Amino acid sequence: MTYNRYAAVYDGSGQIRFALLTGIYLEEILQRHPVDGRRALDLACGTGTLLAILAERGWEVTGLDASAAMLAQAAAKLAQASTRVELYQGDMRDVATLLPANTFDLVTCTYDSLNYLIGGNDLATCLRGIAQVLAPGGLFVGDMNTRHFLAVDWGHCLLSEQPGYVQVEQTHFDPVSDTSTMWLTGFIGNDHDGYERFDEIHIERAYPTEQVAMLINTAGLTIEGCYDGFTFQPPVATTQRIFWVARKPLCRNF
């Protein structure tokens, strides 16, 4: 199962850095694109770092993730939160059936989680669900890896080591399907007692900017920002990650 054994070492492997950086950037986004309420939903919330950041800022937070192991990490991280916390296990394509409509003032989906929606209608279904659970006037913030990143910049073979954990990533991009497949092999343990190996396969699909914009608009959201990752500049040909900011109109009924 993806993110099963990986969950215990996910933060320690360095992945937590992205969530910390996103927390800073999200605060800047909300200054430019403010919302009135303080109810946040993080789709594909993983180990809950972004949820913890929002909770510390006074948000009532809800997390949804398909991995029970990742949610267990999130629950431990949020155990002492002073605001309301709810965690749900489920597929982000099913958000509209799992959570009530017109509820959240902010919905986030970060760290290229949307790229994992590789089926023909998967992204459209997820975006429609996001629009349904957003409160009128609520904001969606999500990021996606670009085709340039998946095809050119994502290294074909990467090795990372730290005490107690070794990780190997092997990646291949298919230009016909615009998908990148990453074979992740992890080794947990030490030189004295030995290592336990686990293997996972991660597949991401690149979507053209124009298609994403069309799907966001078709879902009933109004795009307010399309930013080169962690900046407020428009994307360029070599952009690696795009952050989308879109709002649910006040008068829209779902």
Side-chain angles (χ1 to χ4, degrees), residues 33-213:
H33 307 272
V35 296
D36 292 330
R38 306 292 284 180
R39 298 165 299 177
L41 165 65
D42 188 25
L43 295 179
C45 66
T47 62
T49 301
L50 186 58
L51 288 174
I53 291 171
L54 290 171
E56 289 177 0
R57 295 174 184 167
W59 290 78
E60 296 180 7
V61 296
T62 299
L64 176 70
D65 200 278
S67 168
M70 295 288 268
L71 286 172
Q73 297 290 322
K77 190 175 296 182
L78 291 156
Q80 303 302 318
S82 59
T83 60
R84 181 178 178 181
V85 175
E86 294 184 331
L87 298 174
Y88 295 87
Q89 184 179 1
D91 192 310
M92 60 184 174
R93 291 168 294 186
D94 300 327
V95 61
T97 61
L98 294 171
L99 296 170
N102 304 308
T103 297
F104 299 100
D105 307 295
L106 173 68
V107 174
T108 55
C109 187
T110 64
Y111 213 172
D112 44 272
S113 296
L114 293 172
N115 290 101
Y116 281 76
L117 301 175
I118 61 175
N121 297 315
D122 289 346
L123 181 57
T125 300
C126 183
L127 290 169
R128 287 196 302 268
I130 289 170
Q132 289 182 26
V133 300
L134 273 171
L139 198 70
F140 165 63
V141 179
D143 71 71
M144 299 186 76
N145 280 332
T146 64
R147 189 182 193 278
H148 175 83
F149 174 76
L150 294 181
V152 179
D153 292 337
W154 201 352
H156 295 295
C157 185
L158 298 174
L159 171 67
S160 59
E161 299 182 65
Q162 54 253 347
Y165 183 61
V166 178
Q167 180 171 302
V168 181
E169 300 176 16
Q170 300 179 78
T171 307
H172 170 73
F173 182 77
D174 179 1
V176 176
S177 61
D178 282 341
T179 59
S180 183
T181 301
M182 188 261 282
W183 293 268
L184 183 151
T185 301
F187 300 89
I188 303 172
N190 56 67
D191 292 342
H192 181 266
D193 299 314
Y195 289 82
E196 175 192 351
R197 171 176 172 166
F198 68 88
D199 296 274
E200 296 187 355
I201 298 176
H202 296 252
I203 303 175
E204 295 194 16
R205 177 181 173 183
Y207 286 86
T209 304
E210 297 78 11
Q211 182 181 4
V212 178

